Structures are given as C-alpha cells and as structure tokens.
Amino acid sequence: MKPYVGRADRLAQRAERLGLDLLLVSQLVNVRYLTGFTGTNGAFLVGPARRVFLTDFRYVERAKEEVPDFDRVRGREDMLESALEIALDAERDREGRVRLGFDESHMTVRAHAKLAERAGDRVELVPAGGLVEDLRAVKDEGEVSAIRAATAIADDLYRWLISEHGLAGHTEREIALTLERRAQDLGADGLSFPAIVAAAANGALPHAIPRRDAVIPRDTLVVVDLGCVLDSYRSDCTRTFATGEIDAEARDCYKLVRSAQEAALAATQPGADVRAVDRVARDAIAAAGRGDQFGHGLGHGVGLEVHEAPRLAPSATGSLEAGNVVTIEPGVYVPERFGIRIEDLVHVTAEGPEVMTSIPKELIVV
Ligand code: ZN
Ligand code: ZN
C-alpha cells in the first residue's frame, strides 16, 4: 500500500489545528515525501477536504504514474502562482478570507512579496514551516527498510575498503572518488554526500575535505565518513581507522570516543530529551578534560535527506520518538594532530535502540 494518502491526511490534521484552510508545500523533498513525485518542479496543496498536486507541462505524464492518489493540476512554471490561484478560487467559493500556510524557511523574500501582492486582502499568508519535517522525523516500516538497505550497502563499502582496498599509500581524494564509484558497483544510487576521508591533522576538522595531494601515511588515524543513497533514502556512518601504530594519546582518545558513543547509544530511547542524550556523550568527553575538543552536536535525523529532524545537540529541543532514525556521532578533535569520530545510524524503537550500522567499533588497522 502506498503510504502517501496517510501522510497527506496527517499533514491536513496538523494544518487544521493551526487554523489553516490550505497549506502549500513547495520544497521538493517534502513534496516527494507526501506524493511520491520525483520530478524537479512540483508543489502540493493540502486542506481539510483538498489534496492538489501541481506540476508544469514537463511532468504531467510522469505525475499520472507517480501521483495517482491526488487531484493533479497542470500549473505554470511558477508553481507558487498556480497555488495562489487555487487559494483565490477557494476564497471565491466560500466568500471569506482564506488562510494559506506556507513554509517560510523555504520561500525567498522575493517570492513571498510577489505572492502577497497578488493575494491582497483575500488570502492571508501564514508562516507554517516545519510541519512536514516533523512528520518525516517519524519513519514508517517502508522507510526504515529503505534506510536499512542503504546502510547495508555502506557497510559493504566499508568492509571492501578495510579488507581489499586499504588506506595508506593512496591520497585522500583518490579514496573518496574510489568509494563513490564502488558504492554504485555495490548497488547504491550514489553516496549521501561527498565522502570525507581525512588523515592525521586533516581529521581534526569535522567537515574535512579530502586533499588531492595528501598521500595517507602509515601510523596515523584516518576518519572516513560516508553514506549511501538507495531509492531516495540515505545512510550515514563514520569510522576512524589506524594505518599502523598510533601513540598512547591517540589510543586513549579512541577509547574515550567509543565509550561516550556507546553510552549515548544506550540513552537513545523513545521519550528521551534530545539535549539529555547529547549530554551523555558530552559529559563523558568533558570528564576526560576534552570537552572543548568536541565542538559539534551529537547527531541528527537521516531519511530523504542526510540531515533532518530530530537534532541531538545542546541547542536542540524536543524528545525522541519511536520511529526516529538518528545518528550518534561524538568526536574528539585534537588540533594539528588527529581527529576521531565514531558514527552509527540508530532506529529508535519501543524495544530500545536498533543500531543499523554493522561495522565493528574496535580500532581497526587498515
Ligand atoms: Zn556522517
Ligand atoms: Zn552524520
């Protein structure tokens, strides 16, 4: 069964609770989540009794196949204008002002000004962002299986890197590009984001860019962060490898990150406050005197996008729910020396955390 009708219904309920007559969804990932549409220009309008999918002439045929569950309207190239026309029609029908919700974080000031001018007094534009993102944070079984499958390919990719390809003697960039090709050979549609391969001091940058001219030496640490895309769903995983002997400080830091990561995994339970989960890892790292060497949030949701709700961080709010799929990825970054990050993908369930990633976490020498 296609899940789209249920998603649209849940969104309509939320829109109604905000007193909206119509909600305009214009961000493509959200449109895809709600309707199944895979083209590059589409929008979706949801109201108590209306579900209208809009696209332009290029996608009319595709929409017939991909979006069979909803009314389809061929709009102009500017979807927003077409959506507004539907809202204006609604206003005519009911002879009263229509409240049209839109996502303020995905609309330019210019687009908003244009809409507002045409809307006049007849349609009130109401900022109502984040509603679809909230729905997306809780995955259904089909989505969880897709993420599991994407994770399994990424795990195969890691196993291939560890046991067949190796790290030392190649440049960071060579490895990043090889991983991209190999992911496709293994059945992925691609990587979730350009792979991070960062040796020694480059690993101390959480968002390191693989260097073209940096040949990975023996006896250092290498951070590898990657995920795979399969059927639009993504995965995300980081492992830190050794290319030989590493010194006592690096070994201690590895143990510290691993134990902080495992403590946070155990805390990844439905109902847990997202800040409290972050704090479990942060406190463990701070207790070892390295609090200032862990400068990013503990994790993030993963699904159609590699960074989505919920966020686990000191500044985040809310609590985890069964159905969330989040990363748990503490790190310790020692400037000019090395970085260590360990990241697993976790499905939050009523029975406890299901760790999807299957790559071991003891320090592997590659
Ligand atoms: Zn990652
Ligand atoms: Zn991540």
Side-chain angles (χ1 to χ4, degrees):
M1 230 253 327
K2 283 196 175 172
Y4 305 114
V5 174
R7 291 175 188 169
D9 288 349
R10 284 197 296 280
L11 182 63
Q13 283 164 12
R14 289 179 184 224
E16 219 175 338
R17 260 181 257 147
L18 293 178
L20 300 175
D21 300 301
L22 284 169
L23 174 67
L24 168 63
V25 179
S26 54
Q27 200 221 1
L28 270 177
V29 177
N30 288 339
V31 173
R32 173 159 206 174
Y33 172 78
L34 292 165
T35 67
F37 177 66
T38 62
T40 60
N41 194 21
F44 194 45
L45 265 174
V46 174
R50 293 213 71 179
R51 312 280 190 271
V52 185
F53 171 78
L54 297 120
T55 191
D56 66 55
F57 70 97
R58 292 171 297 167
Y59 293 116
V60 169
E61 285 307 310
R62 185 195 299 213
K64 263 188 212 160
E65 278 176 28
E66 291 183 344
V67 192
D69 302 317
F70 307 109
D71 289 342
R72 293 183 304 275
V73 168
R74 176 176 153 175
R76 310 161 195 267
E77 207 147 338
D78 183 350
M79 290 293 114
L80 300 182
E81 214 171 283
S82 305
L84 185 68
E85 273 163 26
I86 292 173
L88 288 167
D89 284 349
E91 187 262 358
R92 246 184 316 271
D93 291 347
R94 64 183 260 176
E95 295 170 7
R97 199 168 187 219
V98 164
R99 281 169 58 84
L100 172 63
F102 71 98
D103 189 342
E104 69 277 19
S105 55
H106 291 117
M107 189 176 293
T108 62
V109 172
R110 180 207 290 258
H112 183 269
K114 196 169 150 195
L115 272 193
E117 193 195 328
R118 294 214 47 206
D121 292 336
R122 298 170 56 201
V123 174
E124 182 189 354
L125 296 174
V126 184
L131 295 181
V132 186
E133 282 80 357
D134 282 352
L135 291 181
R136 278 170 47 196
V138 177
K139 272 71 181 175
D140 61 33
E141 231 354 276
E143 296 182 283
V144 173
S145 321
I147 298 169
R148 251 190 228 113
T151 304
I153 298 179
D155 288 356
D156 285 346
L157 191 55
Y158 270 108
R159 278 188 277 270
W160 172 80
L161 178 70
I162 294 164
S163 59
E164 291 185 44
H165 189 276
L167 289 168
H170 304 277
T171 68
E172 294 174 351
R173 187 167 156 83
E174 240 166 62
I175 292 180
L177 293 175
T178 304
L179 287 168
E180 176 112 43
R181 275 195 302 273
R182 185 70 191 163
Q184 291 175 19
D185 294 343
L186 290 170
D189 298 326
L191 292 180
S192 303
F193 51 90
I196 294 174
V197 179
N202 198 28
L205 310 172
H207 294 285
I209 293 167
R211 295 166 295 177
R212 196 183 286 279
D213 54 354
V215 176
I216 299 174
R218 287 268 160 220
D219 302 329
T220 192
L221 288 171
V222 185
V223 177
V224 179
D225 187 351
L226 62 85
C228 287
V229 187
L230 189 65
D231 299 333
S232 305
Y233 281 86
R234 282 151 208 272
S235 74
D236 192 6
C237 172
T238 306
R239 286 295 181 267
T240 303
F241 302 106
T243 55
E245 289 295 315
I246 55 167
D247 64 28
E249 187 190 2
R251 271 199 306 276
D252 286 348
C253 283
Y254 191 92
K255 270 188 219 144
L256 174 64
V257 173
R258 184 177 170 186
S259 68
Q261 202 260 356
E262 279 167 358
L265 278 182
T268 308
Q269 304 282 351
D273 183 279
V274 289
R275 259 174 313 191
V277 181
D278 175 273
R279 213 178 303 126
V280 169
R282 203 163 299 282
D283 286 355
I285 290 169
R290 295 189 180 272
D292 59 339
Q293 294 176 345
F294 173 29
H296 56 74
L298 176 67
H300 53 87
V302 176
L304 289 170
E305 290 179 296
V306 75
H307 290 109
E308 57 181 50
R311 240 161 30 89
L312 299 109
S315 62
T317 54
S319 44
L320 293 176
E321 276 182 74
N324 289 155
V325 173
V326 295
T327 68
I328 298 293
E329 50 177 309
V332 163
Y333 306 91
V334 182
E336 287 162 35
R337 293 209 51 216
F338 59 80
I340 294 163
R341 179 166 67 253
I342 301 176
E343 174 181 34
D344 282 333
L345 198 52
V346 187
H347 175 210
V348 181
T349 82
E351 289 77 44
E354 175 207 348
V355 178
M356 293 169 144
T357 314
S358 69
I359 301 301
K361 280 182 281 201
E362 64 265 19
L363 184 60
I364 299 173
V365 177
V366 177

